[in-house]
Amino acid sequence: MTRWTHRPDGSTWGDWGEDDQLGRLNLLTPAKVREGIAEVREGLTFCLSLPLDAPGGNVVNPRRVPPVLSPTSDENGFRYNFRTGRLDARHLDVVCDDKVALTLQYSSQWDSLCHVGAMFDADGDGAPEALFYNGFRSGADVVGPLAEVGADGHACYAYKLGVENMAEKPIQGRGVLVDLEKHFGRTQTYVGYDELAAAMDADDVVVEPGDMLLLHTGYATELLAMGGTPHPERVHAMCAVLDGRDERLLQWISDSQIAALIADNYGVEAFPAKDGGPDPHAALPIHHHCLFKLGLNLGEMWYLEELALWLREHERSRFLLTAPPLRLPGAVGSPANAIATV
């Protein structure tokens, strides 16, 4: 290995080659796509994304703001309700053309593998480096922030592990939903291995290697009900969240060999997490375990209500999931415009 001589305990670094940028998405084989397609019986489809302007405001995350639409323009003015007869009297067209300033992880989203890395001594010299999955390096492979826009037009850029790798895969296969809201309601509940296993056993949910696991908690539905004005006292204190300090849960995520981990809540795991003790540790233990160690992409704030209720009514948990992100080179995250077909 050119980037590291040893890897984090329990990680998948190098399992798919020293230059791998897909991680667990490598498990989405043609056979897994066929398994997903085999779950389609009714031909019904469900949109799994919130509107891009949801949740509204910046209460959920103060750094992330709603999209801002504006018209394109040139020397002839704004191209919005633009009457082309102004340029040529013979023309009848009225044209609208717009652009958007978009926070990529504001609404329903995918986390790429360079969303969260860690300080880790990969070359054994006693000095930890800032690294991402498979040993890709902060400052060399993931560059920024730059004081000024560089020659390539970017102030930050993921030359490795960017979200375009997920889009080029692309992401399609069998989704499996665990209906946590059915078992725990919408009060904030920390879900560790025991709680997750009990919910899966109660509903006969079986997860196999290469499946994409989705967790329905009701969080995104609660956000929509707030009508674009999230309640500051509630957005971080409602619905089920995974307990990232539960080592048995982390081990299950490793052993399950799921290809993606997705939830309808803010960050899949509880944030802030339970206290991790006096020794150095990750603030986001599931992000650390999944993105940094396993190469396992996370999906957050997906809209799962209608799908979950349909699956609940029909005593099913499996479906075809199609969920490529934007093919935006160098980006760390992307809106998720996912579709479930049953």
Side-chain angles (χ1 to χ4, degrees), residues 15-32:
D15 285 3
W16 293 284
E18 65 177 85
D19 295 320
D20 175 60
Q21 299 183 58
L22 289 177
R24 286 275 190 96
L25 290 182
N26 284 289
L27 299 177
L28 287 181
T29 63
K32 292 306 300 186

PDB file of all heavy atoms in Angstrom, residues 15-32:
ATOM      1  N   ASP A  15      -9.832  -4.037   0.948  1.00  0.00           N
ATOM      2  CA  ASP A  15     -10.557  -5.258   0.601  1.00  0.00           C
ATOM      3  C   ASP A  15     -10.938  -5.299  -0.874  1.00  0.00           C
ATOM      4  O   ASP A  15     -11.038  -6.388  -1.466  1.00  0.00           O
ATOM      5  CB  ASP A  15     -11.822  -5.405   1.454  1.00  0.00           C
ATOM      6  CG  ASP A  15     -11.517  -5.842   2.879  1.00  0.00           C
ATOM      7  OD1 ASP A  15     -10.321  -5.968   3.220  1.00  0.00           O
ATOM      8  OD2 ASP A  15     -12.473  -6.059   3.647  1.00  0.00           O
ATOM      9  N   TRP A  16     -11.189  -4.148  -1.460  1.00  0.00           N
ATOM     10  CA  TRP A  16     -11.535  -4.083  -2.888  1.00  0.00           C
ATOM     11  C   TRP A  16     -10.446  -3.378  -3.691  1.00  0.00           C
ATOM     12  O   TRP A  16     -10.707  -2.838  -4.762  1.00  0.00           O
ATOM     13  CB  TRP A  16     -12.882  -3.364  -3.063  1.00  0.00           C
ATOM     14  CG  TRP A  16     -14.023  -4.150  -2.504  1.00  0.00           C
ATOM     15  CD1 TRP A  16     -14.619  -5.246  -3.055  1.00  0.00           C
ATOM     16  CD2 TRP A  16     -14.706  -3.915  -1.269  1.00  0.00           C
ATOM     17  NE1 TRP A  16     -15.625  -5.711  -2.244  1.00  0.00           N
ATOM     18  CE2 TRP A  16     -15.700  -4.908  -1.130  1.00  0.00           C
ATOM     19  CE3 TRP A  16     -14.575  -2.954  -0.258  1.00  0.00           C
ATOM     20  CZ2 TRP A  16     -16.562  -4.973  -0.038  1.00  0.00           C
ATOM     21  CZ3 TRP A  16     -15.420  -3.018   0.839  1.00  0.00           C
ATOM     22  CH2 TRP A  16     -16.396  -4.023   0.943  1.00  0.00           C
ATOM     23  N   GLY A  17      -9.238  -3.368  -3.152  1.00  0.00           N
ATOM     24  CA  GLY A  17      -8.117  -2.778  -3.859  1.00  0.00           C
ATOM     25  C   GLY A  17      -7.671  -1.470  -3.241  1.00  0.00           C
ATOM     26  O   GLY A  17      -8.450  -0.770  -2.591  1.00  0.00           O
ATOM     27  N   GLU A  18      -6.406  -1.126  -3.450  1.00  0.00           N
ATOM     28  CA  GLU A  18      -5.849   0.052  -2.789  1.00  0.00           C
ATOM     29  C   GLU A  18      -6.422   1.349  -3.320  1.00  0.00           C
ATOM     30  O   GLU A  18      -6.342   2.385  -2.653  1.00  0.00           O
ATOM     31  CB  GLU A  18      -4.330   0.061  -2.912  1.00  0.00           C
ATOM     32  CG  GLU A  18      -3.796   0.210  -4.315  1.00  0.00           C
ATOM     33  CD  GLU A  18      -2.278   0.278  -4.322  1.00  0.00           C
ATOM     34  OE1 GLU A  18      -1.651  -0.796  -4.332  1.00  0.00           O
ATOM     35  OE2 GLU A  18      -1.733   1.390  -4.319  1.00  0.00           O
ATOM     36  N   ASP A  19      -7.019   1.338  -4.516  1.00  0.00           N
ATOM     37  CA  ASP A  19      -7.580   2.567  -5.076  1.00  0.00           C
ATOM     38  C   ASP A  19      -9.100   2.611  -5.011  1.00  0.00           C
ATOM     39  O   ASP A  19      -9.731   3.483  -5.609  1.00  0.00           O
ATOM     40  CB  ASP A  19      -7.129   2.736  -6.538  1.00  0.00           C
ATOM     41  CG  ASP A  19      -5.631   2.946  -6.651  1.00  0.00           C
ATOM     42  OD1 ASP A  19      -5.076   3.674  -5.804  1.00  0.00           O
ATOM     43  OD2 ASP A  19      -5.013   2.366  -7.563  1.00  0.00           O
ATOM     44  N   ASP A  20      -9.704   1.677  -4.286  1.00  0.00           N
ATOM     45  CA  ASP A  20     -11.164   1.604  -4.234  1.00  0.00           C
ATOM     46  C   ASP A  20     -11.774   2.864  -3.644  1.00  0.00           C
ATOM     47  O   ASP A  20     -11.297   3.383  -2.634  1.00  0.00           O
ATOM     48  CB  ASP A  20     -11.594   0.399  -3.396  1.00  0.00           C
ATOM     49  CG  ASP A  20     -13.102   0.347  -3.207  1.00  0.00           C
ATOM     50  OD1 ASP A  20     -13.807   0.273  -4.227  1.00  0.00           O
ATOM     51  OD2 ASP A  20     -13.555   0.410  -2.047  1.00  0.00           O
ATOM     52  N   GLN A  21     -12.834   3.360  -4.292  1.00  0.00           N
ATOM     53  CA  GLN A  21     -13.556   4.530  -3.805  1.00  0.00           C
ATOM     54  C   GLN A  21     -15.034   4.239  -3.581  1.00  0.00           C
ATOM     55  O   GLN A  21     -15.815   5.153  -3.319  1.00  0.00           O
ATOM     56  CB  GLN A  21     -13.420   5.687  -4.798  1.00  0.00           C
ATOM     57  CG  GLN A  21     -11.990   6.143  -5.012  1.00  0.00           C
ATOM     58  CD  GLN A  21     -11.899   7.332  -5.927  1.00  0.00           C
ATOM     59  OE1 GLN A  21     -12.490   8.377  -5.669  1.00  0.00           O
ATOM     60  NE2 GLN A  21     -11.159   7.179  -7.020  1.00  0.00           N
ATOM     61  N   LEU A  22     -15.434   2.965  -3.665  1.00  0.00           N
ATOM     62  CA  LEU A  22     -16.845   2.590  -3.532  1.00  0.00           C
ATOM     63  C   LEU A  22     -17.177   1.952  -2.199  1.00  0.00           C
ATOM     64  O   LEU A  22     -18.326   2.018  -1.746  1.00  0.00           O
ATOM     65  CB  LEU A  22     -17.244   1.623  -4.660  1.00  0.00           C
ATOM     66  CG  LEU A  22     -17.345   2.203  -6.056  1.00  0.00           C
ATOM     67  CD1 LEU A  22     -17.680   1.098  -7.053  1.00  0.00           C
ATOM     68  CD2 LEU A  22     -18.395   3.297  -6.119  1.00  0.00           C
ATOM     69  N   GLY A  23     -16.217   1.309  -1.558  1.00  0.00           N
ATOM     70  CA  GLY A  23     -16.512   0.651  -0.298  1.00  0.00           C
ATOM     71  C   GLY A  23     -17.584  -0.409  -0.436  1.00  0.00           C
ATOM     72  O   GLY A  23     -17.567  -1.230  -1.368  1.00  0.00           O
ATOM     73  N   ARG A  24     -18.555  -0.381   0.474  1.00  0.00           N
ATOM     74  CA  ARG A  24     -19.590  -1.419   0.503  1.00  0.00           C
ATOM     75  C   ARG A  24     -20.507  -1.386  -0.727  1.00  0.00           C
ATOM     76  O   ARG A  24     -21.244  -2.352  -0.963  1.00  0.00           O
ATOM     77  CB  ARG A  24     -20.435  -1.285   1.769  1.00  0.00           C
ATOM     78  CG  ARG A  24     -19.745  -1.745   3.048  1.00  0.00           C
ATOM     79  CD  ARG A  24     -19.907  -3.251   3.248  1.00  0.00           C
ATOM     80  NE  ARG A  24     -19.458  -3.674   4.557  1.00  0.00           N
ATOM     81  CZ  ARG A  24     -20.247  -3.853   5.612  1.00  0.00           C
ATOM     82  NH1 ARG A  24     -21.542  -3.634   5.516  1.00  0.00           N
ATOM     83  NH2 ARG A  24     -19.746  -4.247   6.759  1.00  0.00           N
ATOM     84  N   LEU A  25     -20.483  -0.313  -1.512  1.00  0.00           N
ATOM     85  CA  LEU A  25     -21.270  -0.312  -2.749  1.00  0.00           C
ATOM     86  C   LEU A  25     -20.766  -1.377  -3.719  1.00  0.00           C
ATOM     87  O   LEU A  25     -21.475  -1.728  -4.673  1.00  0.00           O
ATOM     88  CB  LEU A  25     -21.254   1.058  -3.421  1.00  0.00           C
ATOM     89  CG  LEU A  25     -22.014   2.173  -2.716  1.00  0.00           C
ATOM     90  CD1 LEU A  25     -21.943   3.465  -3.527  1.00  0.00           C
ATOM     91  CD2 LEU A  25     -23.486   1.797  -2.472  1.00  0.00           C
ATOM     92  N   ASN A  26     -19.556  -1.890  -3.492  1.00  0.00           N
ATOM     93  CA  ASN A  26     -19.081  -3.014  -4.306  1.00  0.00           C
ATOM     94  C   ASN A  26     -19.973  -4.240  -4.151  1.00  0.00           C
ATOM     95  O   ASN A  26     -19.956  -5.135  -5.011  1.00  0.00           O
ATOM     96  CB  ASN A  26     -17.645  -3.371  -3.906  1.00  0.00           C
ATOM     97  CG  ASN A  26     -16.628  -2.396  -4.457  1.00  0.00           C
ATOM     98  OD1 ASN A  26     -16.367  -2.361  -5.667  1.00  0.00           O
ATOM     99  ND2 ASN A  26     -16.051  -1.579  -3.577  1.00  0.00           N
ATOM    100  N   LEU A  27     -20.744  -4.289  -3.058  1.00  0.00           N
ATOM    101  CA  LEU A  27     -21.637  -5.433  -2.827  1.00  0.00           C
ATOM    102  C   LEU A  27     -22.912  -5.346  -3.662  1.00  0.00           C
ATOM    103  O   LEU A  27     -23.691  -6.300  -3.697  1.00  0.00           O
ATOM    104  CB  LEU A  27     -21.988  -5.529  -1.347  1.00  0.00           C
ATOM    105  CG  LEU A  27     -20.805  -5.736  -0.385  1.00  0.00           C
ATOM    106  CD1 LEU A  27     -21.283  -5.748   1.057  1.00  0.00           C
ATOM    107  CD2 LEU A  27     -20.062  -7.026  -0.719  1.00  0.00           C
ATOM    108  N   LEU A  28     -23.145  -4.201  -4.314  1.00  0.00           N
ATOM    109  CA  LEU A  28     -24.307  -4.074  -5.209  1.00  0.00           C
ATOM    110  C   LEU A  28     -23.951  -4.689  -6.561  1.00  0.00           C
ATOM    111  O   LEU A  28     -23.702  -4.004  -7.541  1.00  0.00           O
ATOM    112  CB  LEU A  28     -24.706  -2.606  -5.364  1.00  0.00           C
ATOM    113  CG  LEU A  28     -25.384  -1.953  -4.173  1.00  0.00           C
ATOM    114  CD1 LEU A  28     -25.743  -0.504  -4.503  1.00  0.00           C
ATOM    115  CD2 LEU A  28     -26.651  -2.704  -3.777  1.00  0.00           C
ATOM    116  N   THR A  29     -23.937  -5.993  -6.574  1.00  0.00           N
ATOM    117  CA  THR A  29     -23.580  -6.754  -7.777  1.00  0.00           C
ATOM    118  C   THR A  29     -24.791  -6.911  -8.690  1.00  0.00           C
ATOM    119  O   THR A  29     -25.932  -6.643  -8.279  1.00  0.00           O
ATOM    120  CB  THR A  29     -23.077  -8.141  -7.360  1.00  0.00           C
ATOM    121  OG1 THR A  29     -24.164  -8.823  -6.693  1.00  0.00           O
ATOM    122  CG2 THR A  29     -21.886  -8.047  -6.431  1.00  0.00           C
ATOM    123  N   PRO A  30     -24.585  -7.358  -9.939  1.00  0.00           N
ATOM    124  CA  PRO A  30     -25.743  -7.651 -10.797  1.00  0.00           C
ATOM    125  C   PRO A  30     -26.736  -8.609 -10.144  1.00  0.00           C
ATOM    126  O   PRO A  30     -27.947  -8.463 -10.324  1.00  0.00           O
ATOM    127  CB  PRO A  30     -25.095  -8.255 -12.046  1.00  0.00           C
ATOM    128  CG  PRO A  30     -23.749  -7.604 -12.120  1.00  0.00           C
ATOM    129  CD  PRO A  30     -23.313  -7.467 -10.685  1.00  0.00           C
ATOM    130  N   ALA A  31     -26.230  -9.549  -9.351  1.00  0.00           N
ATOM    131  CA  ALA A  31     -27.137 -10.481  -8.669  1.00  0.00           C
ATOM    132  C   ALA A  31     -28.015  -9.742  -7.667  1.00  0.00           C
ATOM    133  O   ALA A  31     -29.214 -10.041  -7.531  1.00  0.00           O
ATOM    134  CB  ALA A  31     -26.330 -11.574  -7.960  1.00  0.00           C
ATOM    135  N   LYS A  32     -27.442  -8.737  -6.959  1.00  0.00           N
ATOM    136  CA  LYS A  32     -28.251  -7.976  -6.003  1.00  0.00           C
ATOM    137  C   LYS A  32     -29.277  -7.105  -6.714  1.00  0.00           C
ATOM    138  O   LYS A  32     -30.389  -6.910  -6.211  1.00  0.00           O
ATOM    139  CB  LYS A  32     -27.354  -7.106  -5.124  1.00  0.00           C
ATOM    140  CG  LYS A  32     -26.467  -7.858  -4.162  1.00  0.00           C
ATOM    141  CD  LYS A  32     -27.212  -8.826  -3.267  1.00  0.00           C
ATOM    142  CE  LYS A  32     -28.252  -8.181  -2.388  1.00  0.00           C
ATOM    143  NZ  LYS A  32     -28.854  -9.147  -1.437  1.00  0.00           N
TER     144      LYS A  32
END
